[in-house]
């Protein structure tokens, strides 16, 4: 037998990887994406995600509730990092389309719930405010050359101004109540301390702060609360996700060796 005949009779076997199960792959992607596409205000899948100039995204109705939380004034800072946004926030179309493609049933159900929510009026006012914003001027076709000396002078002035703003904010934010939270352990929190903690957990927790204040829940009572306690009278928190979030934040607070200022704790 010649070498050519020998080579023709040899079979070349290439190992082939088994194909991935398409359903299992989709489940893994969905499980991973659900946590990535959640709003840090309501902790649910984003609906009409609106991206601020700092890069954080929130449900548009959550952002509207935050915007109207200080009426008659309005808030224009990020609920996550407190950076003030510029212009007026727009819906992130690419992110919205991706979320609606991944979670069509969840998004549809949440949109129906938003329509019946008492805070829907805030969303309408928020939308109207956006329509009243003047359009941005088009950039000049032939911008003048940049003067390097003036540029660095402007940067230095801006940095000085930002430093002053930060210092003023730190002085303003370190109120007596916040100093108490910073210096005392949870077991020594008063009812006012607990009320302040509940109030600043998120936008939706404002509806529960009066109950904690009325029942004079101090730090020791707060640390002993369970899901059954929150669902029963006098708290009567029917929303299971709200109870879960409060208990998760309380668990994080217990694990913290030193109680922090509320904004430091949230960040």
């Amino acid at each position: 037998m010649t070498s050519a005949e020998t080579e023709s009779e040899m079979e070349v076997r290439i190992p082939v990887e088994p194909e991935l199960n398409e359903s299992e792959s989709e489940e893994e992607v969905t499980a991973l994406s659900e946590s990535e596409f959640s709003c840090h205000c309501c902790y649910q899948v984003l609906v009409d995600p609106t991206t601020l100039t700092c890069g954080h995204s929130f449900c548009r109705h959550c952002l509207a509730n935050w915007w109207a939380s200080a009426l008659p004034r309005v808030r224009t800072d990020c609920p996550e990092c407190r950076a003030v946004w510029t212009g007026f926030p727009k819906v992130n179309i690419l992110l919205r389309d991706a979320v609606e493609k991944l979670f069509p049933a969840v998004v549809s159900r949440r949109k129906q719930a938003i329509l019946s929510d008492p805070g829907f009026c805030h969303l309408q006012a928020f939308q109207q405010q956006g329509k009243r914003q003047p359009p941005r001027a088009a950039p000049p076709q032939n911008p003048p050359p940049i003067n390097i000396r003036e540029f660095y002078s402007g940067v230095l002035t801006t940095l000085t101004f930002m430093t002053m703003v930060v210092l003023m904010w730190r002085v303003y934010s370190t109120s007596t109540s916040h100093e108490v939270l910073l210096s005392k352990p949870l077991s020594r929190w008063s009812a006012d301390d607990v009320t302040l903690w509940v109030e600043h957990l998120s936008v939706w927790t404002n509806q529960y702060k009066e109950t904690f204040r009325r029942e004079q829940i101090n730090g020791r009572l707060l640390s002993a609360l369970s899901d059954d306690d929150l669902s029963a009278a006098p708290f009567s928190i029917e929303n299971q996700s709200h109870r879960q979030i409060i208990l998760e934040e309380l668990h994080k607070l217990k694990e913290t060796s030193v109680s922090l200022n509320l904004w430091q704790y949230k960040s």
Side-chain angles (χ1 to χ4, degrees), residues 15-33:
V16 179
E17 294 290 339
E19 295 184 359
L20 292 175
N21 188 309
E22 185 175 353
S23 62
E24 293 180 356
S25 177
E26 290 179 355
E27 289 177 0
E28 291 178 0
V29 172
T30 302
L32 177 63
S33 301

Side-chain angles (χ1 to χ4, degrees), residues 243-254:
R243 299 197 305 270
Q244 181 180 357
I245 294 168
I246 292 175
L247 292 175
E248 288 178 356
E249 295 296 334
L250 178 59
H251 179 69
K252 295 177 184 178
L253 188 61
K254 291 179 181 178

Side-chain angles (χ1 to χ4, degrees), residues 46 59 72 135 156 178 185 198 209 240 251 257 261:
L46 288 161
C59 296
L156 182 61
H178 285 185
V198 173
K209 66 177 183 180
Q240 183 179 358
H251 179 69
S257 58
N261 173 292

Side-chain angles (χ1 to χ4, degrees), residues 109-171:
R109 183 172 64 251
R110 292 205 60 212
K111 284 185 176 180
Q112 293 297 324
I114 291 170
L115 291 175
S116 59
D117 191 281
F120 183 68
C121 60
H122 295 156
L123 177 58
Q124 293 176 312
F126 188 70
Q127 300 282 45
Q128 291 297 325
Q129 179 66 21
K131 293 178 180 179
R132 289 194 293 266
Q133 291 293 316
R136 294 185 179 180
Q141 296 297 325
N142 297 313
I146 299 176
N147 188 311
I148 300 299
R149 181 173 297 178
E150 292 181 358
F151 172 76
Y152 282 113
S153 175
V155 170
L156 182 61
T157 302
T158 302
L159 291 176
T160 304
F161 175 75
M162 292 179 62
T163 303
M164 293 298 297
V165 171
V166 171
L167 291 175
M168 291 177 64
W169 178 82
R170 291 297 298 270
V171 171

Side-chain angles (χ1 to χ4, degrees), residues 63-115:
L63 189 61
N65 287 335
W66 173 259
W67 173 79
S69 62
L71 288 176
R73 302 179 62 185
V74 293
R75 302 197 64 159
T76 57
D77 56 335
C78 172
E80 186 72 15
C81 68
R82 300 302 183 271
V84 177
W85 71 62
T86 57
F88 199 83
K90 304 292 184 182
V91 173
N92 188 325
I93 298 175
L94 180 62
L95 182 57
R96 180 197 63 189
D97 293 345
V99 173
E100 291 182 352
K101 184 176 181 181
L102 286 171
F103 313 104
V106 177
V107 172
S108 177
R109 183 172 64 251
R110 292 205 60 212
K111 284 185 176 180
Q112 293 297 324
I114 291 170
L115 291 175

